[in-house]
Amino acid sequence: MTAAPTGDRATRKVRHWADASRLGRLRHVEAATPNGPAWAVVLVLVLLAPVASLADGEVVAAAVLLVAVAAVLGVLLWFLGSEKLLVLDGGIVVGSFAPFLRPTVIPWSGIDPRTVSAVVGNQRTIGLLMADRGVSGASRTVLWSRRPVTFLAVSPVVARHAWAQGQPVDLATAPGFDLWVFSTRRPSRQAPLVHALAAAMHDARVPGADAVLPHALPPRRLRSTAEDADHLGIPERFRRAQLRRV
């Protein structure tokens, strides 16, 4: 009997992409769903929305506004919180699982296991380490998390093209790669994700898999230094000019 995946719930779309990925058994599901602080902020915004209408004595208008704001913010938060990372025997599936969006399939050959890192910092913190390269599809972050797991892998465009064509992908020869950043929901979720990645890589005999845990854990607090860029494995040409060593 196949063991159930660890982590979060395997929804129908998760199971669909696990099968479509052609990467074997689904081992772990990590979801960046909204945490307590995120819901608290939404609740405050919802409660503040009808204040002006209530002050004017417009009870019906206030009620309508309350419902409308709650619905809009709820849908927005649900949409933003649809980021997931699936760990399978042969690689990962990462990206948004919201309606009409497609995640990215990356086999282990497209990932550098030596760069898997659990860090403390948000997208801005990581952005300060890198040269301005515009918006990247490899940034799977959410506003309510400062606990991402990062790794170097083939770029989203390269990974999607290879998967669509049924072609193998190799990080060493790929025409493009990127620093992937996936936000975990809360601090306690970083270690389970790292352990799931390390175990899957080890079982698949990925070179460098044994170095994942000692490098990635415990989480490193980023301070925008050259040492931080080294730790994340950011190539020199991707770094901010002040952090380049050559």
Side-chain angles (χ1 to χ4, degrees):
M1 182 177 179
T2 303
T6 57
D8 292 284
R9 186 170 66 92
T11 63
R12 185 170 67 174
K13 189 167 184 177
V14 164
R15 294 193 300 270
H16 165 77
W17 274 98
D19 292 338
S21 71
R22 304 185 292 272
L23 294 177
R25 176 174 61 97
L26 176 63
R27 304 170 63 114
H28 182 83
V29 180
E30 197 63 42
T33 49
N35 54 18
W39 285 114
V41 170
V42 169
L43 179 61
V44 170
L45 293 175
V46 169
L47 294 177
L48 288 177
V51 168
S53 297
L54 286 174
D56 293 336
E58 300 176 356
V59 178
V60 175
V64 171
L65 185 60
L66 179 70
V67 173
V69 171
V72 170
L73 291 180
V75 170
L76 179 62
L77 198 62
W78 168 72
F79 196 87
L80 293 176
S82 294
E83 297 289 335
K84 299 181 191 294
L85 191 154
L86 316 183
V87 181
L88 298 101
D89 285 337
I92 65 172
V93 179
V94 58
S96 178
F97 281 70
F100 312 114
L101 296 181
R102 290 186 168 191
T104 303
V105 177
I106 311 177
W108 296 133
S109 58
I111 300 173
D112 185 348
R114 301 167 301 174
T115 63
V116 175
S117 305
V119 299
V120 181
N122 55 23
Q123 182 57 34
R124 180 179 180 277
T125 309
I126 297 172
L128 290 174
L129 296 171
M130 305 183 69
D132 185 9
R133 300 170 55 242
V135 177
S136 171
S139 179
R140 316 311 309 183
T141 57
V142 292
L143 298 174
W144 50 86
S145 172
R146 286 179 50 82
R147 293 287 185 152
V149 171
T150 69
F151 52 88
L152 277 183
V154 293
S155 68
V157 172
V158 171
R160 288 168 186 160
H161 180 267
W163 176 78
Q165 300 297 320
Q167 299 174 346
V169 62
D170 190 338
L171 181 60
T173 58
F177 59 93
D178 213 332
L179 178 70
W180 286 78
V181 184
F182 178 81
S183 292
T184 58
R185 181 168 60 250
R186 54 180 180 267
S188 62
R189 296 307 310 162
Q190 283 181 296
L193 175 55
V194 170
H195 278 276
L197 290 168
M201 289 180 179
H202 179 271
D203 291 349
R205 298 184 178 181
V206 176
D210 292 339
V212 171
L213 290 180
H215 177 79
L217 297 173
R220 179 188 181 98
R221 185 174 296 276
L222 299 180
R223 304 185 188 280
S224 301
T225 64
E227 289 73 21
D228 288 335
D230 292 341
H231 184 78
L232 299 187
I234 301 174
E236 292 288 333
R237 69 177 184 274
F238 281 10
R239 301 185 186 191
R240 196 157 53 96
Q242 298 90 322
L243 303 181
R244 294 173 185 167
R245 296 187 181 277
V246 293

